[in-house]
Amino acid sequence: MDKYKTNSAFNKWFSSIKLNLLPSPIQKKIVDFDKYHKKLSFFQALQLFLHGINDEKESLREMDAAFVSKELQKEMGMTSISYSQLSRTLSKIDSEILLAIFSQLVSQAKNKRPVTKRNSLYLIDSSTFSLNQNLYQWADFRKTKSGVKLHLKLCFMDNDHLYPDEFTLTNAVEHDTNQLEVLVNQPEATYVFDRGYLDFERLDTMHSQGYFFVTRIKKNTKVHVLEPLVASKSESVISDQMVALGAQNHLTSRFRLVTVQDKKGKTLQFITNRFDCSSTDIAEMYKARWQIELFFKHIKQHMTIKKFFSRSEKGVVNQLILAMIASLLTYLIKLKTKSNQSVFQIKRFFRYLLFQPAEEWFNLLIPT
């Protein structure tokens, strides 16, 4: 059995998680969990929930039924688990343990592919998960529905290399701008966010503290043109200007306004404090923001977040953290194999070769 487990794709996917390297206080929490959960250890529970999320199980009952698989029984070292026990466990796992695992995986990603101002952007946005008000009364949102909101910072290097770097979870009623200061925390990095976050004083603060940004301005934004800049020679670029934003009682610092026309003829205006790159580069930076929308779409459609396993606040929070962990595990496999396959394709192969030797999975990923 040990040889089987060591060589399987299932086991290899989890191999980036090093519980023994987590901070001592977190390890103590794991020991305490195991002390009071004799039938299901923390690592077994972690594997089950990550497998359920990644394999798109729609409910804890389906995860329970999955134990008809002899291969899953061998991997887990158990023959069955009740959905009621899974429900209780998901709500009892300390979220700090899961957050520590998430941070450990982010560190591994950065060690394998270092992040610099030149090779990456941080995309910031949020997504709301609507919930039944009768079942989730704790999740304040609107009069007729409940909801939770995931505020995400996505590290973007290119369309093939992107992963969740940091996030916060709030009730859906929370305004996005309240979380921007939490997620903007690495000086000299460039942050890309939509105009819903636009605030003149915040842009000035980011600028003075050494943070770079690219965002869009609103139609009614007051723009004071100070001088023209040399625009890129591109049909899509209309102008490149040095400007200040706002009314006379609060004018921003000198920023750069790049105006472009997209393929549909729509005029877009981007404000930034990056003066070291071309007009088209600025437009491409903002265009990258679309990738965070695709990421939200992926976790909602392909990681069971269209339906939550638990009705408790802690259970919902834990499931969202687990979804972030699952996405990182697959991305780390991409880095380990230096694969040019998309993360989605890597995941697809994994689902079909789940209990096969890891070499069979890796042979499909490693470039020839």
Side-chain angles (χ1 to χ4, degrees):
M1 184 187 298
D2 289 341
K3 183 178 180 181
Y4 175 92
K5 292 184 70 173
T6 300
N7 293 333
S8 70
F10 183 91
N11 183 263
K12 201 69 177 178
W13 188 62
F14 291 106
S15 64
S16 293
I17 298 176
K18 313 290 185 184
L19 297 184
N20 63 316
L21 297 181
L22 293 173
S24 297
I26 299 299
Q27 291 191 47
K28 185 179 184 304
K29 288 177 181 288
I30 295 173
V31 171
D32 290 342
F33 179 95
D34 290 343
K35 187 186 301 182
Y36 296 104
H37 298 79
K38 302 295 185 183
K39 294 183 179 180
L40 187 67
S41 71
F42 172 79
F43 191 64
Q44 286 176 314
L46 181 67
Q47 287 183 306
L48 276 175
F49 288 126
L50 286 173
H51 168 55
I53 287 172
N54 196 65
D55 205 48
E56 301 182 31
K57 305 297 186 191
E58 293 190 356
S59 67
L60 296 180
R61 288 180 183 270
E62 188 178 352
M63 289 173 60
D64 177 353
F67 272 91
V68 298
S69 165
K70 297 296 183 183
E71 291 90 349
L72 182 60
Q73 291 179 22
K74 288 179 181 179
E75 289 288 356
M76 296 303 305
M78 55 197 300
T79 57
S80 65
I81 186 72
S82 70
Y83 70 88
S84 59
Q85 186 177 359
L86 286 171
S87 180
R88 290 192 299 271
T89 302
L90 183 59
S91 297
K92 289 181 179 179
I93 291 177
D94 192 323
S95 301
E96 288 189 15
I97 303 175
L98 300 181
L99 290 171
I101 292 171
F102 173 83
S103 296
Q104 182 186 74
L105 299 179
V106 170
S107 294
Q108 289 182 39
K110 290 185 175 181
N111 287 337
K112 291 180 180 296
R113 194 177 175 91
V115 175
T116 69
K117 174 187 172 183
R118 297 291 180 185
N119 74 356
S120 64
L121 302 170
Y122 285 115
L123 315 180
I124 293 180
D125 206 348
S126 69
S127 187
T128 298
F129 299 79
S130 297
L131 302 169
N132 184 298
Q133 191 177 48
N134 293 327
L135 301 179
Y136 299 88
Q137 296 183 12
W138 51 266
D140 295 336
F141 188 20
R142 295 175 181 164
K143 289 183 178 180
T144 58
K145 65 173 64 175
S146 296
V148 293
K149 188 178 286 188
L150 171 64
H151 307 265
L152 179 65
K153 178 168 74 174
L154 195 75
C155 182
F156 174 87
M157 295 185 176
D158 55 50
N159 290 341
D160 292 323
H161 292 87
L162 62 158
Y163 57 88
D165 179 88
E166 194 172 350
F167 63 92
T168 61
L169 299 168
T170 67
N171 286 349
V173 73
E174 178 83 12
H175 198 281
D176 293 351
T177 56
N178 296 336
Q179 298 301 309
L180 189 62
E181 292 179 3
V182 178
L183 298 175
V184 175
N185 53 18
Q186 294 172 254
E188 297 190 6
T190 300
Y191 295 85
V192 181
F193 44 87
D194 70 17
R195 56 191 173 184
Y197 292 91
L198 188 66
D199 178 276
F200 299 152
E201 291 186 18
R202 181 174 287 110
L203 295 185
D204 269 339
T205 300
M206 289 180 65
H207 182 63
S208 65
Q209 293 179 348
Y211 301 102
F212 296 95
F213 60 82
V214 178
T215 187
R216 282 180 65 186
I217 62 172
K218 299 176 182 179
K219 289 183 178 179
N220 62 351
T221 301
K222 293 185 177 180
V223 178
H224 305 271
V225 179
L226 303 177
E227 61 179 282
L229 299 173
V230 179
S232 299
K233 294 181 179 179
S234 170
E235 292 182 359
S236 63
V237 177
I238 298 173
S239 64
D240 195 343
Q241 301 165 313
M242 180 87 74
V243 302
L245 305 179
Q248 293 297 330
N249 60 348
H250 182 83
L251 284 176
T252 64
S253 303
R254 291 187 164 207
F255 296 142
R256 180 182 181 186
L257 182 68
V258 176
T259 304
V260 303
Q261 187 175 64
D262 66 13
K263 293 180 180 179
K264 296 181 180 179
K266 184 178 180 181
T267 299
L268 305 173
Q269 292 186 296
F270 308 119
I271 197 75
T272 182
N273 59 344
R274 287 286 300 264
F275 290 90
D276 60 329
C277 41
S278 69
S279 314
T280 51
D281 285 342
I282 297 299
E284 286 298 314
M285 286 181 187
Y286 191 83
K287 185 179 179 180
R289 205 191 69 79
W290 176 243
Q291 292 299 324
I292 198 169
E293 302 289 350
L294 294 178
F295 183 84
F296 284 135
K297 182 179 179 180
H298 174 75
I299 64 172
K300 287 183 175 182
Q301 294 186 354
H302 300 291
M303 300 186 84
T304 72
I305 307 302
K306 52 192 171 185
K307 183 177 180 181
F308 285 94
F309 295 150
S310 174
R311 296 180 185 177
S312 74
E313 181 174 4
K314 194 171 185 181
V316 169
V317 166
N318 283 345
Q319 187 171 345
L320 283 166
I321 301 173
L322 286 162
M324 299 296 103
I325 291 172
S327 66
L328 276 169
L329 288 174
T330 305
Y331 178 66
L332 286 168
I333 291 294
K334 177 180 176 67
L335 292 182
K336 287 178 182 179
T337 58
K338 298 181 180 179
S339 178
N340 51 22
Q341 299 278 359
S342 70
V343 169
F344 185 77
Q345 186 64 30
I346 292 172
K347 176 185 172 182
R348 180 177 291 163
F349 287 145
F350 177 56
R351 291 183 66 191
Y352 289 126
L353 298 172
L354 191 63
F355 302 118
Q356 302 305 311
E359 289 75 13
E360 291 189 26
W361 183 29
F362 281 12
N363 285 342
L364 294 173
L365 308 181
I366 298 173
T368 54

